[in-house]
Amino acid sequence: MERSENISREVEDVSKHYMLQVQYSETFGRIHKVYTNQGVYALKSIAPEHSMDFIRHVQRLYQRGYNRVVPIYTTSDGRYGVLYNNRLYYLMPWLANDESGERNEKHKQMFRELARIHTLTVKGLPIEKEERESHFEKTKDMWKKQQQFLEEYIGQCEKKWYMSPFELMFCSFYYDVTQALSFSVRKLEEWYEKTKDDEKVRTVVVHGKVSIKHFLLNERGAGYFINFENSKPLPQHFDLLPFFVRYCNTFPIRCDECVEWLYHYNKYFALQEEEIMLFTSYIAYPLSFIQTIEAYHSRKNDDAKTELKYVKELQKSYWQLKNIEYFVMKIEEIEGQKRAAKQAAEQGN
């Protein structure tokens, strides 16, 4: 990442609102590490349209007693940020990230803290029956259309005397993709049947960009979240889904740690049965794979991508699909055991 040790005008001007005298600064992306006469600080900027929600949600966490958010300092006149050149700048202490310790333990610590945030901000919001039904029908219809597209495309491929390498690879992956699609639709239907008469939906303040890069450990091993700029009230899967989808976007792995992290989170913020149904439905849906197929199918003659690049993208999206498949099947196994144990206990009584 590009780094500059020059004191920029923006850093100097903004720091004056905090009565700080800048000695020098380093720039890491959108974060300035500012060395001043009173210590070292982190100065960060965001777009003004996100600023009010960001400040409101962080204040809400403070008010609920959650103190594992890197604090935001106020200016000398009590404001939480400074508007400068169409950006809102806010100041935090510079927290050196302690990378010592095991990676698995840091992830578990992060998910425990995420569960605490969700626990402190959980709220049941009213939802109309028609709104839930509309979401279900639109999602199911969209997935069915994409399944039909895949069926039509494989028909076109199989009619050819000589398939391209991409088309040949698609045909070899087709069965697994349709299985993932069918599973997603089935879990969505199960979720709808279980919740169609519910009058509320659980929401929390989601972090909005959960990543191990946004969870810092100090010298004592305490973990702190940064980067709450995308936080908003939403169901908790808006935090969980993007993290696990990204984590599974790699070479083939048996992601047992993913299962461990999810159920570590679940220990501190228990997911309801219908929430797990919806989570597994969404994460199993092979979005990346379908998008790659659609891009290849609709490509133009002047497309800069080569056949090899499309093949690599398809291979990578298939690896992601299989990694998620393992993750989801482990969840299904655990949830099945829980249901069986509950049923046995009920019969025993």
Side-chain angles (χ1 to χ4, degrees), residues 150 177-178 180-181 184 282-291 321:
L150 293 179
V177 176
T178 56
L181 261 170
S184 292
Y282 283 161
I283 199 168
Y285 177 69
L287 176 63
S288 177
F289 191 95
I290 293 172
Q291 287 176 335
L321 181 152

Side-chain angles (χ1 to χ4, degrees), residues 49-99:
E49 58 265 27
H50 302 307
S51 60
M52 292 309 297
D53 285 342
F54 161 61
I55 291 170
R56 184 172 68 251
H57 294 317
V58 170
Q59 284 181 319
R60 182 178 172 187
L61 288 172
Y62 289 157
Q63 291 165 358
R64 297 292 174 90
Y66 187 78
N67 60 0
R68 290 299 180 87
V69 179
V70 178
I72 300 170
Y73 294 129
T74 56
T75 61
S76 56
D77 57 359
R79 290 173 292 148
Y80 277 96
V82 177
L83 192 61
Y84 186 92
N85 284 348
N86 296 319
R87 302 284 295 178
L88 183 84
Y89 288 79
Y90 63 94
L91 190 72
M92 305 174 290
W94 181 266
L95 192 63
N97 193 11
D98 184 359
E99 294 292 347

Side-chain angles (χ1 to χ4, degrees), residues 130-304:
E130 294 76 16
E131 186 179 349
R132 190 187 298 271
E133 183 180 7
S134 174
H135 170 74
F136 167 70
E137 293 294 344
K138 286 179 180 178
T139 304
K140 185 179 176 182
D141 183 58
M142 179 179 67
W143 289 358
K144 289 289 187 182
K145 286 179 180 177
Q146 288 172 330
Q147 191 166 17
Q148 185 179 1
F149 162 73
L150 293 179
E151 291 171 0
E152 292 173 355
Y153 187 60
I154 196 170
Q156 295 173 18
C157 293
E158 291 177 337
K159 288 178 182 177
K160 293 184 176 182
W161 280 100
Y162 299 103
M163 284 187 267
S164 71
F166 181 93
E167 292 165 341
L168 185 61
M169 180 175 280
F170 163 66
C171 291
S172 67
F173 294 158
Y174 176 74
Y175 175 78
D176 286 336
V177 176
T178 56
Q179 289 294 103
L181 261 170
S182 297
F183 176 87
S184 292
V185 171
R186 176 166 61 83
K187 298 305 289 187
L188 186 71
E189 291 171 341
E190 290 177 7
W191 165 80
Y192 180 67
E193 282 303 311
K194 186 168 180 60
T195 63
K196 61 183 179 182
D197 295 322
D198 291 352
E199 297 179 350
K200 288 188 176 182
V201 61
R202 267 206 320 182
T203 65
V204 298
V205 170
V206 300
H207 177 276
K209 209 170 183 180
V210 174
S211 166
I212 202 67
K213 294 186 297 184
H214 299 148
F215 186 71
L216 308 182
L217 300 181
N218 65 13
E219 66 280 357
R220 298 184 304 277
Y224 291 82
F225 275 108
I226 61 170
N227 202 347
F228 271 87
E229 294 151 18
N230 296 302
S231 61
K232 52 181 70 70
L234 288 168
Q236 71 287 328
H237 65 252
F238 280 85
D239 267 342
L240 299 175
L241 274 170
F243 175 87
F244 286 112
V245 168
R246 286 195 309 270
Y247 196 82
C248 289
N249 188 25
T250 183
F251 54 85
I253 55 172
R254 297 170 69 87
C255 197
D256 291 303
E257 66 265 32
C258 293
V259 182
E260 184 180 2
W261 298 337
L262 178 66
Y263 281 94
H264 191 71
Y265 166 91
N266 193 57
K267 185 161 59 174
Y268 297 94
F269 184 78
L271 293 169
Q272 297 169 352
E273 185 179 6
E274 62 272 19
E275 291 170 340
I276 293 178
M277 289 176 181
L278 194 60
F279 174 79
T280 53
S281 171
Y282 283 161
I283 199 168
Y285 177 69
L287 176 63
S288 177
F289 191 95
I290 293 172
Q291 287 176 335
T292 304
I293 298 293
E294 290 175 336
Y296 182 85
H297 178 67
S298 60
R299 72 194 189 286
K300 307 296 183 183
N301 291 331
D302 59 350
D303 192 340

Side-chain angles (χ1 to χ4, degrees), residues 101-143:
E102 295 185 11
R103 180 178 63 91
N104 185 49
E105 288 305 312
K106 184 177 179 182
H107 277 81
K108 288 172 68 174
Q109 192 173 350
M110 182 184 75
F111 277 103
R112 184 179 70 237
E113 292 302 326
L114 183 66
R116 286 184 61 204
I117 290 174
H118 291 176
T119 299
L120 289 170
T121 59
V122 66
K123 188 176 182 181
L125 289 184
I127 184 171
E128 297 291 335
K129 185 176 181 180
E130 294 76 16
E131 186 179 349
R132 190 187 298 271
E133 183 180 7
S134 174
H135 170 74
F136 167 70
E137 293 294 344
K138 286 179 180 178
T139 304
K140 185 179 176 182
D141 183 58
M142 179 179 67
W143 289 358

